[in-house]
Amino acid sequence: MPPQISVLDAGGQYCHLIARRVRELGVYADVHPSEVSATALAGRKGIIISGGPSSVYDPGSPDVDPAIFSTPSAVLGICYGHQLMAHHLGGTVRKGEKGEYGLAFLEPTGAAALFGGLDRKESVWMSHRDLVTAAPPAFRVLARTETCPVAAMVDDGGRLYGVQFHPEVVHTRRGQDVLRNFLFEICGCEKDWQPTHQIPEVERQIRETAAGRNVFFFASGGVDSTVAFSLCLRALGPERVRAAYVDTGLMREGETDFVREVFEAMASGVFQVVDASEEFVGALAGVTDPEKKRHIIGEEFVAVQERVLASSHFMDGQWILGQGTIYPDTIESGGTQKADLIKTHHNRVAGIQKLLAENRIVEPLSQFYKDEVRELGRAMGLPGELLDRHPFPGPGLAIRCLCSDVEDTPQETEDGWIIPVRSVGVQGDSRSYQPVLAIDKQPTEELALAATYLVNRLSTVNRVMAVAASHAHIGAMKVSRAAITEGRLARLRKADATVRRLTATSGLDAIVWQFPVVTIPVGTTARPDSVVLRPVDSVDGMTASAVLMPRELLDELCTELLAVEGVCAVFYDLTHKPPATIEWE
Ligand code: XMP
């Protein structure tokens, strides 16, 4: 049976969000590249064409097979999808200069099933440059906004809809109702999706793929690989699954014990800790260049994983590799490129390459989104403490412990103090390392607003941070020569554990998406390091905004952090991504 709904990815960051929203309404949806043929989509009740950054007039811009407009499937074009529909069917798309980004008010000009139950004037989220100025022949205009003459349209048959706004984002207040109308009133879908009901089928597939062989995992302690492991354990039993966890010595406080407990609670004897901390920390000794640090960690992972594969008979034909790959990682879109980047060190392991080439691999989560993975984990009894944890980067604390190969001093400018440490940013297409601007003021909404503006204007810094608390004035601080040492890691571990404890009790950790705690080699002789707080809000890590916290909590954090041995100041990173990144390296 084909899925009832398919979403065509026209290059927008929203295509997975659309599919997730459809699934939240209880209807399974999958994602395809926009050019997929109408024949391959046969049998769908509905097709949704996503938004995207292109113009229908750009050469090589994403297109769809025009035959999809004359099949029995209903079609909903969103934003770029709306323009594409108008363009193919004889409407007019005007090239926009400035565009419209943000909230707009939708004024209905005619009744339609898509807007059933909505108020006369609804607020919707717009993000577009080009716009449809005339609907195709045999179409009716359903709504306009101040700038869009054709903000929504429908064909005479009531099967083809186009909307300029984004129903899938939360800022479109009744967006989920619009999607609900499309699914149930227009396409005639039936509810067929509840992730936890899939568990027996996923278990069956695991048994089928394993075909009598066993499954082993390189566990990271993250949500995906742990839930994937748990599914394999249910499907195959404790005799046939194993997990190896590499302790790099770059872990947070208590991390290895926590992961061991989670796995031991699932089944005893299936989990093995490979202690490689001396190797990792040893290989990083004296290294200060951020990209070199990452490279060394990647190399060490490769070496340790090869060793585990060779020593445990995992290559003897009786084993296949389990991975926690989730749905967005399997589709060619923006999300994938990032995933490829992050997981390179896994794919470079020769043994793993061999297993991949021989198709000896099982990925039980390949059809699920992150929220659905959490639901599966919950249904299988995994602890909330694991399922709700923030993402944590593979290279661990190493990329949060900044280093320096020179001694230097902060420079005062009219905008604040330039602190000569190397922090990464994403101005333009590539990662670049630049100093940071510290402003000797408390973190406020106003300063956060100014931060992006300042980074753009100065173009010599990647970030702006406020000074939350300090033992010394910035002018009296210096940058010292520093690499990764056990002592500096212990300091960072302590600061990180302090932040995690206080944000857990205050409830802040539940509302931020991630909260890196970073140490930079900036301070005084007695207190050579400072702590940077980096709480962010995000949906998928691709973009993020800096988050402020209640004053009381910040005061409490500062008091405890300034009491940590060797810590001189507490800074607060106020920069969004872009122009900064979430992590500092
Ligand atoms: P950035 O710093 O690029 O981070 O804004 C985006 C997200 O990716 C995580 N991240 C990593 N995760 N290995 C990982 O497993 C890595 O090398 C890595 N680098 C960044 C980061 O924590 C954030 O969630």
Side-chain angles (χ1 to χ4, degrees):
M1 279 275 287
Q4 298 182 82
I5 298 290
S6 285
V7 180
L8 307 191
D9 175 6
Q13 55 182 322
Y14 299 116
C15 87
H16 282 295
L17 191 53
I18 298 169
R20 264 172 56 198
R21 291 271 182 257
V22 170
R23 291 186 184 190
E24 274 170 33
L25 291 164
V27 175
Y28 181 74
D30 65 359
V31 174
H32 297 264
S34 66
E35 274 90 3
V36 61
S37 73
T39 328
L41 295 172
R44 304 299 192 275
K45 290 186 174 164
I47 296 169
I48 303 179
I49 312 170
S50 82
S54 313
S55 162
V56 293
Y57 296 114
D58 291 344
S61 58
D63 204 350
V64 293
D65 177 354
I68 61 168
F69 299 119
S70 39
T71 67
S73 314
V75 182
L76 172 64
I78 295 176
C79 191
Y80 178 77
H82 166 65
Q83 295 157 12
L84 209 51
M85 182 185 277
H87 185 62
H88 272 293
L89 300 177
T92 313
V93 179
R94 199 184 74 209
K95 223 167 158 44
E97 309 265 285
K98 284 216 323 275
E100 184 184 18
Y101 304 92
L103 277 188
F105 286 97
L106 200 65
E107 289 175 47
T109 54
L114 192 66
F115 296 148
L118 265 63
D119 290 337
R120 285 290 306 159
K121 223 171 176 182
E122 287 290 351
S123 58
V124 295
W125 183 258
M126 292 282 195
S127 171
H128 63 100
R129 249 214 300 265
D130 292 1
L131 61 150
V132 179
T133 50
F139 268 71
R140 275 187 305 129
V141 176
L142 292 177
R144 61 169 171 251
T145 67
E146 212 173 284
T147 46
C148 277
V150 187
M153 62 184 191
V154 62
D155 78 321
D156 288 346
R159 304 294 292 160
L160 309 178
Y161 280 86
V163 293
Q164 182 57 68
F165 63 91
H166 288 273
E168 71 278 18
V169 305
V170 288
H171 306 87
T172 297
R173 202 176 63 97
R174 303 287 298 276
Q176 200 62 341
D177 293 324
V178 172
L179 288 177
R180 183 181 289 112
N181 285 337
F182 180 69
L183 299 182
F184 300 109
E185 304 304 322
I186 296 160
C187 301
C189 289
E190 279 149 30
K191 290 198 178 184
D192 65 352
W193 182 247
Q194 158 56 262
T196 55
H197 292 173
Q198 303 300 314
I199 293 177
E201 174 56 18
V202 173
E203 288 178 23
R204 195 195 60 73
Q205 286 168 6
I206 293 170
R207 281 190 291 270
E208 190 179 291
T209 311
R213 295 168 298 185
N214 309 321
V215 178
F216 75 94
F217 279 79
F218 282 110
S220 69
V223 178
D224 303 338
S225 61
T226 312
V227 172
F229 178 84
S230 173
L231 282 162
C232 288
L233 179 64
R234 283 170 66 116
L236 304 173
E239 296 306 321
R240 293 179 54 197
V241 288
R242 289 291 174 271
Y245 165 94
V246 180
D247 183 345
T248 60
L250 305 166
M251 322 312 253
R252 305 169 115 177
E253 191 176 284
E255 176 69 8
T256 302
D257 289 339
F258 172 75
V259 181
R260 184 188 286 113
E261 272 167 36
V262 169
F263 276 79
E264 282 295 319
M266 283 193 270
S268 118
V270 294
F271 179 77
Q272 167 201 2
V273 175
V274 182
D275 182 358
S277 47
E278 276 181 23
E279 273 170 79
F280 275 83
V281 179
L284 288 167
V287 181
T288 55
D289 181 73
E291 290 299 321
K292 201 158 172 213
K293 280 160 65 184
R294 273 182 175 276
H295 181 77
I296 289 174
I297 294 166
E299 293 292 313
E300 287 298 319
F301 263 115
V302 171
V304 176
Q305 291 185 334
E306 288 290 8
R307 214 167 57 220
V308 173
L309 286 173
S311 67
S312 311
H313 310 290
F314 286 142
M315 302 301 289
D316 67 5
Q318 281 314 302
W319 293 86
I320 64 172
L321 176 74
Q323 285 203 317
T325 318
I326 63 171
Y327 190 53
D329 296 342
T330 65
I331 308 290
E332 249 180 67
S333 72
T336 329
Q337 289 158 17
K338 182 79 182 176
D340 281 352
L341 209 72
I342 290 173
K343 290 178 184 149
T344 38
H345 59 255
H346 288 298
N347 297 339
R348 279 178 43 232
V349 179
I352 290 182
Q353 297 244 4
K354 183 164 183 283
L355 295 173
L356 288 169
E358 292 168 2
N359 226 358
R360 280 161 60 191
I361 187 151
V362 62
E363 297 178 318
L365 300 175
S366 60
Q367 55 170 336
F368 297 97
Y369 283 109
K370 191 87 178 184
D371 299 341
E372 298 175 332
V373 171
R374 293 203 171 95
E375 263 186 71
L376 297 183
R378 233 161 245 132
M380 292 188 292
L382 290 174
E385 212 183 334
L386 172 100
L387 298 172
D388 299 325
R389 65 200 334 222
H390 296 164
F392 187 71
L397 296 181
I399 60 166
R400 295 183 177 173
C401 186
L402 266 65
C403 305
S404 173
D405 55 357
V406 288
E407 283 180 7
D408 211 336
T409 45
Q411 296 299 319
E412 190 168 19
T413 67
E414 58 179 15
D415 297 302
W417 294 83
I418 304 282
I419 312 273
V421 291
R422 284 167 296 183
S423 107
V424 73
V426 279
Q427 298 176 55
D429 286 339
S430 56
R431 290 158 65 86
S432 61
Y433 284 87
Q434 303 229 63
V436 183
L437 181 74
I439 298 183
D440 199 1
K441 287 186 185 159
Q442 286 300 312
T444 57
E445 205 67 66
E446 200 186 349
L447 213 52
L449 276 175
T452 303
Y453 165 78
L454 274 167
V455 171
N456 290 336
R457 178 165 67 78
L458 296 172
S459 75
T460 47
V461 295
N462 270 337
R463 297 168 195 272
V464 175
M465 57 187 191
V467 185
S470 180
H471 283 295
H473 184 259
I474 304 181
M477 292 185 202
K478 59 182 186 337
V479 173
S480 53
R481 264 198 199 99
I484 291 195
T485 59
E486 290 290 0
R488 292 191 74 221
L489 283 173
R491 192 174 286 151
L492 172 55
R493 212 170 266 128
K494 177 98 177 80
D496 177 66
T498 303
V499 173
R500 283 209 288 161
R501 174 169 45 80
L502 291 178
T503 53
T505 8
S506 71
L508 184 87
D509 68 345
I511 56 171
V512 297
W513 189 80
Q514 197 177 9
F515 193 159
V517 174
V518 178
T519 42
I520 54 177
V522 179
T524 55
T525 310
R527 296 178 165 275
D529 278 315
S530 287
V531 172
V532 183
L533 304 177
R534 175 69 170 140
V536 292
D537 191 19
S538 177
V539 175
D540 52 11
M542 305 290 279
T543 57
S545 47
V547 174
L548 288 166
M549 66 174 75
R551 187 70 243 177
E552 235 171 54
L553 174 61
L554 181 57
D555 286 344
E556 215 177 329
L557 277 172
C558 288
T559 309
E560 290 213 24
L561 290 172
L562 287 185
V564 174
E565 172 281 326
V567 170
C568 180
V570 179
F571 294 104
Y572 203 112
D573 187 344
L574 292 169
T575 336
H576 302 321
K577 172 183 179 177
T581 46
I582 296 177
E583 304 289 348
W584 270 51
E585 281 191 346

